Amino acid sequence: MENITVRYSTTQRRLVEIAIINVLLLWMFPFFVFKLIISIPFLLAMGFSIWYMESFGLDFEPETGNLCYHTALSKPYYFHVSEIQKISFQNIRTKSGERLFLSIHPPCKQILIILGEPSNSGGFDETWDSYTNASELLDFLQRYQKTEGT
């Protein structure tokens, strides 16, 4: 079995790309100085956002139990699933409504993964901002805990 990576959702990445396209379309209108003042900082911020989103990830190997957490602003952090000190769920209110997060606590870190909206059945429903492969990660962690506890 191959590595699986948890990442920002495709929709989140597409929204940033659409914002960049909108600013580039702004260049087609008059008032060059105004465009320059507005566009350059915005394009830099969106470029940083894309770079950050693309560099974020939590890779896991289901066969070995090894995980690697990486972001744009830090070195990759490697740990084994057996080193996880705590796994919990957190309901957090965001701009787009209430979201259910998976909180993973390896030594000296906290990793939050958006699962989706809390559902009435006690689980969660995936939403536009749910991280890709989050369900697979949750299944992997639950399977591993059952294996280790037996």
Side-chain angles (χ1 to χ4, degrees):
M1 190 176 269
E2 60 187 53
N3 289 0
I4 300 173
T5 301
V6 176
R7 299 193 158 285
Y8 279 93
S9 75
T10 304
T11 305
Q12 288 172 312
R13 294 192 310 258
R14 293 298 171 259
L15 287 173
V16 171
E17 292 166 359
I18 289 169
I20 289 174
I21 290 169
N22 284 336
V23 169
L24 293 175
L25 289 175
L26 179 71
W27 280 90
M28 294 183 346
F29 295 102
F31 309 115
F32 178 73
V33 175
F34 177 72
K35 290 188 291 190
L36 192 61
I37 292 170
I38 300 249
S39 300
I40 299 300
F42 183 80
L43 288 173
L44 288 173
M46 290 297 105
F48 176 79
S49 297
I50 287 176
W51 172 65
Y52 185 82
M53 287 178 148
E54 291 301 321
S55 65
F56 169 84
L58 177 62
D59 304 325
F60 62 99
E61 298 176 31
E63 289 183 3
T64 64
N66 293 323
L67 294 105
C68 176
Y69 175 66
H70 47 88
T71 66
L73 303 174
S74 64
K75 293 180 181 178
Y77 180 73
Y78 297 93
F79 59 99
H80 190 267
V81 70
S82 63
E83 296 176 67
I84 295 174
Q85 299 164 339
K86 181 181 172 187
I87 298 173
S88 61
F89 297 94
Q90 297 179 359
N91 285 331
I92 299 175
R93 184 157 270 326
T94 65
K95 291 178 183 175
S96 54
E98 190 172 354
R99 293 293 181 254
L100 182 65
F101 285 76
L102 173 64
S103 178
I104 304 170
H105 296 264
C108 304
K109 284 267 188 229
Q110 179 185 13
I111 302 168
L112 290 174
I113 305 293
I114 299 175
L115 296 174
E117 289 182 340
S119 72
N120 295 335
S121 64
F124 65 94
D125 298 322
E126 289 189 7
T127 57
W128 67 270
D129 56 351
S130 299
Y131 287 12
T132 60
N133 299 320
S135 296
E136 290 85 350
L137 173 65
L138 185 56
D139 291 343
F140 162 72
L141 293 172
Q142 290 172 337
R143 228 176 335 170
Y144 191 87
Q145 283 184 334
K146 287 179 185 173
T147 303
E148 286 297 301
T150 325

